[in-house]
Amino acid sequence: LDQNQLALRLRVVGESVQQAISKIQLPGLPLFKLPFFDDDPFGAITALNHVYAGTMARTLSQVLCHPIDTVKTRMQVKDPTKKLRKWRRKVVKKAFEVGPIDIDNWFFKGPSDLFRGVWGAILGTIPNAMLYFIAYEATKKKLENKLPPGPVHVASATVGTVAASIVRVPADTLKHRVQAYMHRDVFEALKVVLQTEGIAGLYRGFWPTLMRDVPEIAIQFAVYENLRAFVKEKRKVEKLTTPEHLLLGAAAGAAAATCTMPLDLVKTRQQCGVSQGIHKIVLAVMAESGPAGLLAGLGPRVFHVSLMSAVFFGLFEYCKLIMKPDRSPSDKLYLPKIWNKRRDHIWKRQFVYTE
């Protein structure tokens, strides 16, 4: 199918689905309109391709970066199990030397240990990434003719993050408990949480998650935009190279991760069983370890955010290219196109919620 035929079919499908929805719409409620399927079928193709590409890229990048998230989680847990206490001792005891520096050996039990809970990440990431990008694209479509591009991105990313949290928070709760050796796998964790705490147990850490993610998006965006403007002015160019954007995005992500680190710590502790509120956890950490205790796991998280941004960017661009309707199957220049292209900004491709 060429792009015109695909657009026509997409519009027909959208109209059929919308008619079906209107027949079951409850009286008195506003009519639900299906996102993307409107008078602009070509825009719908682009939006849907971005949803699919974003979902695939997010899932793959989450799996690849999962070991770093595991290390961060294990550094933040308040009441570690016997296995986790042993792991914490061994990573220091089996540290390896790089010149005068001793580096903790996170891999002493092999790679599979750091991939504990990865099925929770996969099963959770697919639906929550889909929700995020659907909400992002739908919000962007509503606002793009009313606001400048920057505020549109921040607003769209915020709506997407809130929508995705419906699935994301329960998935995170199960994943973190498996990473911390509290359960054998995510299915056992789900069974135990539902039996002992009910549905509410799956949503532990919901508010700290939102309180962390929404400011993080704004901080990331503000730092990136200022760095981008500074580099463009110094180099006297209109568009920067892809590597330059990735470095600026990594720096912005590191700044945002550092600023929101205390809430990330609170979120992880609540999801791993601590039943105290946010302020009580903060006060308890301050009493135990001082202000530095609120930054537990900062190194792995900054590394995770920076690496995740770069990996997601590459995968998102690649998935977008291979799904482009009018792209030649014989074109093998995917990576050079991604790497060499000069861009004005890379907001959606890089600033996506992190774990």
Side-chain angles (χ1 to χ4, degrees):
L1 290 178
D2 62 25
Q3 193 159 358
N4 289 324
Q5 292 173 316
L6 186 60
L8 181 60
R9 291 195 180 187
L10 190 60
R11 184 171 181 177
V12 170
V13 169
E15 289 173 351
S16 300
V17 173
Q18 189 65 62
Q19 286 175 7
I21 291 174
S22 64
K23 289 179 181 178
I24 61 173
Q25 186 83 18
L26 294 175
L29 293 179
L31 180 64
F32 173 79
K33 293 195 72 176
L34 200 65
F36 318 136
F37 295 98
D38 53 17
D39 295 329
D40 181 16
F42 295 103
I45 292 173
T46 300
L48 287 172
N49 278 348
H50 286 192
V51 169
Y52 300 145
T55 301
M56 287 190 288
R58 173 67 195 185
T59 303
L60 291 171
S61 57
Q62 182 63 49
V63 171
L64 291 172
C65 298
H66 186 81
I68 307 168
D69 183 59
T70 298
V71 172
K72 184 218 61 162
T73 299
R74 292 176 181 177
M75 293 173 70
Q76 292 180 327
V77 173
K78 174 177 169 50
D79 298 312
T81 61
K82 184 178 179 180
K83 285 187 73 173
L84 182 49
R85 289 197 300 271
K86 184 177 179 181
W87 182 87
R88 286 178 175 178
R89 289 195 303 269
K90 287 286 186 72
V91 293
V92 177
K93 187 177 179 181
K94 294 181 177 289
F96 51 89
E97 295 181 2
V98 178
I101 303 172
D102 288 340
I103 299 179
D104 291 348
N105 185 3
W106 298 338
F107 296 91
F108 77 91
K109 291 186 72 174
S112 61
D113 176 65
L114 294 182
F115 276 98
R116 284 179 64 92
V118 72
W119 279 109
I122 294 170
L123 295 174
T125 299
I126 293 173
N128 80 52
M130 185 73 78
L131 278 173
Y132 174 89
F133 283 100
I134 287 174
Y136 182 100
E137 293 292 340
T139 305
K140 178 187 170 189
K141 189 168 184 60
K142 292 287 186 184
L143 298 179
E144 60 188 354
N145 294 324
K146 301 174 184 176
L147 295 172
V152 168
H153 164 73
V154 173
S156 301
T158 299
V159 173
T161 297
V162 174
S165 64
I166 298 169
V167 175
R168 181 185 172 199
V169 172
D172 269 1
T173 298
L174 301 177
K175 178 190 71 174
H176 287 326
R177 293 190 178 204
V178 176
Q179 288 172 319
Y181 299 114
M182 295 172 68
H183 302 288
R184 184 178 65 253
D185 54 47
V186 291
F187 305 106
E188 180 188 281
L190 176 62
K191 180 181 177 182
V192 172
V193 170
L194 289 177
Q195 286 177 343
T196 57
E197 304 174 56
I199 295 292
L202 295 174
Y203 282 90
R204 281 179 174 271
F206 181 83
W207 293 113
T209 297
L210 291 187
M211 291 169 66
R212 178 198 68 173
D213 289 351
V214 174
E216 189 170 281
I217 290 168
I219 295 168
Q220 228 179 348
F221 178 78
V223 173
Y224 169 79
E225 281 297 280
N226 280 281
L227 289 174
R228 184 171 70 96
F230 176 78
V231 173
K232 283 172 64 177
E233 183 180 345
K234 285 291 182 183
R235 295 196 56 213
K236 294 180 170 52
V237 294
E238 285 301 313
K239 295 183 178 182
L240 303 181
T241 64
T242 296
E244 288 171 330
H245 280 298
L246 292 178
L247 287 173
L248 297 182
T258 302
C259 292
T260 58
M261 195 64 212
L263 286 165
D264 184 75
L265 174 72
V266 171
K267 174 192 87 78
T268 302
R269 292 201 168 184
Q270 285 189 348
Q271 291 179 323
C272 288
V274 175
S275 56
Q276 295 174 315
I278 296 172
H279 70 288
K280 287 189 177 180
I281 293 177
V282 171
L283 292 175
V285 172
M286 292 281 286
E288 291 170 11
S289 312
L294 295 173
L295 300 178
L298 177 62
R301 182 157 192 259
V302 167
F303 183 38
H304 182 264
V305 169
S306 302
L307 180 62
M308 188 88 165
S309 293
V311 172
F312 175 82
F313 170 86
L315 289 170
F316 180 73
E317 288 294 298
Y318 181 79
C319 292
K320 216 171 55 162
L321 280 173
I322 62 176
M323 289 193 302
K324 199 171 182 182
D326 55 354
R327 188 155 186 80
S328 169
S330 62
D331 191 345
K332 304 296 183 185
L333 301 177
Y334 293 134
L335 293 179
K337 278 182 177 290
I338 293 170
W339 192 252
N340 296 329
K341 184 177 178 180
R342 284 185 172 269
R343 308 165 190 275
D344 185 45
H345 57 72
I346 52 172
W347 299 331
K348 180 168 57 180
R349 298 162 179 81
Q350 195 166 37
F351 299 155
V352 182
Y353 60 88
T354 55
E355 298 300 333

